[in-house]
Amino acid sequence: MIVSIGIWICFGLIGLGILAMIFSGIQSVMKGKQDVKKIITMIVPFIVYGITYAIIGGLAEAGIATMFVMLAFMVLAILVSGTRSTFNF
């Protein structure tokens, strides 16, 4: 009984922390402290997860697919930036 109460309290604190971060992020954007491009960059994995979840239908499978897609994006970005610096584009 005490363990389940402790777990729910931890989940509640995690939820409050996430809400506080979202509220703080919205305030920072409204005050002009954050660049919108950085925020969009942080949202990309969630969008990819939503797309993979819509296609696959399973939470865990969509998470693994998102990981592979983001790894592919990372490899592609490293390849492009390396090519640009090598050939001075």
Side-chain angles (χ1 to χ4, degrees):
M1 172 92 170
I2 192 79
V3 173
S4 63
I5 292 172
I7 289 173
W8 283 109
I9 289 173
C10 286
F11 282 146
L13 289 173
I14 290 170
L16 285 173
I18 290 171
L19 286 175
M21 285 189 285
I22 290 170
F23 179 73
S24 174
I26 290 171
Q27 271 189 331
S28 294
V29 170
M30 290 172 60
K31 292 181 182 179
K33 291 182 180 179
Q34 292 292 330
D35 187 20
V36 177
K37 287 187 278 185
K38 291 180 184 178
I39 295 171
I40 291 173
T41 302
M42 294 301 291
I43 293 175
V44 167
F46 295 103
I47 294 170
V48 171
Y49 180 77
I51 292 169
T52 55
Y53 179 70
I55 293 171
I56 295 173
L59 293 174
E61 293 87 0
I64 299 297
T66 301
M67 179 188 68
F68 285 132
V69 169
M70 295 307 294
L71 282 171
F73 283 160
M74 180 189 68
V75 168
L76 184 66
I78 291 172
L79 203 96
V80 168
S81 67
T83 304
R84 285 182 58 200
S85 64
T86 302
F87 296 112
N88 293 325
F89 288 134

